[in-house]
């Protein structure tokens, strides 16, 4: 049966359910930053060991995005999403009841395993629920949950943790996960989450995996993944040390950092939604403009970091341009991969690899004595490399379209049931 996406301008209820799921998963990722001191004291571990609750989560996201998606390739995408949210609930429940550090770390790893696959598979399901010309906007709406979690996650965790203890925060996230699970099971339509059984990637076992891996023969897939990694890496490499820039260079107090992060998060939310709408009009141009805007923002931030007013404006633009390309990158990589879920999940892995690379290079720049604006310039250089990759990819795309059609990897292909 052919997928008939709803032509109405109303947001599908199933898309709202996916957004709730992305909000809960985003909270799990970001909330721990405001709880580390409490968790460290409660579980009697060092700050460095507590830090693994963040880095261990990120590494598990990168690995889980590929492994879990590959392992579930032949299953109904709606069923997989429900299972992933159940995994998310189990992980946060483990964290809430953890009697010691090993159980807490295990809970973080279990919750992280669902992260990449949820956003990868969820983005494919989200775009099925709307007409093709609104695909990037649908992905942006789903990712709005993640961006809102970025804005609210740290203050939410700090507030609940301060009043009722850090375990209460994980109990609250577990409850959000249960609500998301019920909503996805009830509201995501079966046709949007079904798998095209005539498509070779729906085969079980090694055959289905081989078909999914075959999509990575496309140079456009690899170029898009590289642009994603470099774009994310440059932004988050700079953002990782932004508190030091604000307090050591701009002159803000430590207490000011919280509201400055809300300004940054607001930029993420608005940029994500604006970028999704723009990408539905001209995707490659939107991606090039967002990467160019991010490069200019980072350079300007480095030059004007001593000005409080300029810093507030620029941290908003950092979030805006940093997330404006996210919906377009996801729809681009999945289109050139003929809609296979592994490509969408690989995009999430690429962003996490980029985050690690950017933070590492930013730290090296500070260690080299280049000052607390150095991560901004390092980030600009990384994003500039991503802009070059995206420009090459966009230039090659029209000439490569015929080759993709011959290989069964048309960039305009969308999954059908």
């Amino acid at each position: 049966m052919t997928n008939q996406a709803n032509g109405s301008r109303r947001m599908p209820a199933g898309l709202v359910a996916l957004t709730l799921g992305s909000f809960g998963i985003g909270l799990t990722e970001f909330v721990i930053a405001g709880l580390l001191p409490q968790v460290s004291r409660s579980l009697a571990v060092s700050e460095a060991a507590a830090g693994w609750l963040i880095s261990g989560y990120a590494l598990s996201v990168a690995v889980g995005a590929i492994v879990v998606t590959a392992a579930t390739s032949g299953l109904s995408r709606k069923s997989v999403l429900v299972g992933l949210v159940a995994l998310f609930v189990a992980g946060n429940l483990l964290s809430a009841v953890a009697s010691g550090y090993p159980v807490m770390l295990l809970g973080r790893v279990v919750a992280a395993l669902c992260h990449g696959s949820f956003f990868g598979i969820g983005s494919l399901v989200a775009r099925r629920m709307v007409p093709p010309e609104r695909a990037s906007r649908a992905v942006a709406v789903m990712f709005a949950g993640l961006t809102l979690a970025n804005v609210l996650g740290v203050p939410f965790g700090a507030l609940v943790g301060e009043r009722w203890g850090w375990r209460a925060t994980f109990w609250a996230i577990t409850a959000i996960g249960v609500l998301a699970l019920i909503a996805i099971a009830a509201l995501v339509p079966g046709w949007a989450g079904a798998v095209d059984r005539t498509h070779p990637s729906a085969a079980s076992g090694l055959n289905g995996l081989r078909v999914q891996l075959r999509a990575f023969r496309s140079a456009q897939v690899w170029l898009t993944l590289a642009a994603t990694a470099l774009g994310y890496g440059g932004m988050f490499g700079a953002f990782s040390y932004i508190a030091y820039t604000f307090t050591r260079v701009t002159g803000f107090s430590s207490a000011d950092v919280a509201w400055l992060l809300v300004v940054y998060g607001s930029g993420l939310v608005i940029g994500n939604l604006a970028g999704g709408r723009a990408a539905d009009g001209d995707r490659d141009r939107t991606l090039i403009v967002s990467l160019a805007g991010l490069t200019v923002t980072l350079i300007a931030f480095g030059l004007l970091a001593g000005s409080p007013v300029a810093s507030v404006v620029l941290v908003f633009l950092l979030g805006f341009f940093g997330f404006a390309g996210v919906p377009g990158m996801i729809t681009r990589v999945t289109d050139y991969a003929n809609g296979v879920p592994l490509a969408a999940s690989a995009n999430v892995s690429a962003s996490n690899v980029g985050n690690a690379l950017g933070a590492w290079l930013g730290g090296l720049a500070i260690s080299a004595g280049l000052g607390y604006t150095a991560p901004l310039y390092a980030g600009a250089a990384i994003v500039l490399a991503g802009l070059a990759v995206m420009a090459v990819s966009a230039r090659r795309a029209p000439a490569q379209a015929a080759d993709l059609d011959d290989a069964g990897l048309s960039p305009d292909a969308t999954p059908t049931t």
Side-chain angles (χ1 to χ4, degrees), residues 85-113:
V85 178
L87 194 65
F88 162 81
V89 170
N92 282 285
L93 185 59
L94 271 176
S95 295
V97 301
S99 57
Y101 176 76
V103 176
M104 179 70 175
L105 183 58
L106 176 62
R108 294 288 292 168
V109 169
V110 169
L113 289 176

Side-chain angles (χ1 to χ4, degrees), residues 249-278:
V249 180
T250 312
F252 285 113
S253 69
S254 297
D256 289 323
V257 172
W259 69 262
L260 289 165
L261 293 181
V262 172
V263 173
Y264 166 77
S266 300
L268 292 179
V269 174
I270 297 171
N272 170 61
L273 295 174
R277 177 174 291 273

Side-chain angles (χ1 to χ4, degrees), residues 57-72 84 109 112-118 342 345 349:
Y57 184 96
L59 290 172
S60 298
V61 169
V63 174
I66 303 298
V67 174
V68 175
T69 303
T72 59
L84 290 171
V109 169
L113 289 176
C114 82
H115 185 125
S117 294
F118 181 87
L342 193 59
S345 296
S349 291

Side-chain angles (χ1 to χ4, degrees), residues 213-239:
L213 292 175
R214 197 176 301 147
F216 289 87
R217 292 177 181 177
S218 167
Q220 286 291 337
V221 170
W222 286 105
L223 289 169
T224 308
L225 291 175
T228 294
L230 292 167
Y232 266 92
M235 178 183 69
F236 280 104
F239 177 72

Side-chain angles (χ1 to χ4, degrees), residues 8 14 20 39 41 160 170 193 202 212 217 219-220 232 271 304 390-391:
S8 167
L20 178 61
V39 173
R41 290 193 301 270
V160 174
F170 285 98
Q212 295 222 46
R217 292 177 181 177
Q220 286 291 337
Y232 266 92
L304 302 174
M390 190 61 237

Side-chain angles (χ1 to χ4, degrees), residues 170-389:
F170 285 98
W171 279 113
I173 296 174
T174 300
I176 292 172
V178 172
L179 289 176
L181 190 153
I182 295 170
I184 291 170
L187 300 177
V188 172
W191 54 260
V195 174
D196 179 7
R197 293 298 171 189
T198 65
H199 195 288
S201 67
S204 59
L206 289 176
N207 289 333
L209 181 58
R210 287 192 190 100
V211 173
Q212 295 222 46
L213 292 175
R214 197 176 301 147
F216 289 87
R217 292 177 181 177
S218 167
Q220 286 291 337
V221 170
W222 286 105
L223 289 169
T224 308
L225 291 175
T228 294
L230 292 167
Y232 266 92
M235 178 183 69
F236 280 104
F239 177 72
S240 297
Y241 304 96
I242 201 71
Y244 294 103
T245 306
F246 282 142
T247 56
R248 305 290 180 86
V249 180
T250 312
F252 285 113
S253 69
S254 297
D256 289 323
V257 172
W259 69 262
L260 289 165
L261 293 181
V262 172
V263 173
Y264 166 77
S266 300
L268 292 179
V269 174
I270 297 171
N272 170 61
L273 295 174
R277 177 174 291 273
D280 282 331
D282 190 329
R283 185 167 59 194
D284 282 0
R285 178 178 292 180
T286 298
L287 296 177
I288 288 172
V289 168
S290 66
L291 290 169
L294 183 57
T295 302
V296 172
T297 296
L298 287 164
I299 294 172
F301 207 159
L303 295 172
L304 302 174
S307 165
V309 174
S311 293
V312 172
V313 173
L314 289 165
V315 79
F316 173 85
L317 292 177
L318 179 65
F320 180 90
F321 286 116
F323 243 72
V326 169
M329 286 292 189
I330 291 178
T331 57
R332 192 177 201 277
V333 76
T334 51
D335 280 351
Y336 278 102
N338 198 24
V340 299
L342 193 59
S345 296
N347 199 70
V348 178
S349 291
S351 67
N352 278 270
V353 170
N355 294 353
L357 173 66
W360 177 65
L361 291 176
L364 284 182
I366 292 175
S367 299
L370 300 178
Y372 289 106
T373 59
L376 295 166
Y377 293 119
I382 297 170
V383 177
L384 185 61
L387 174 60
V389 170

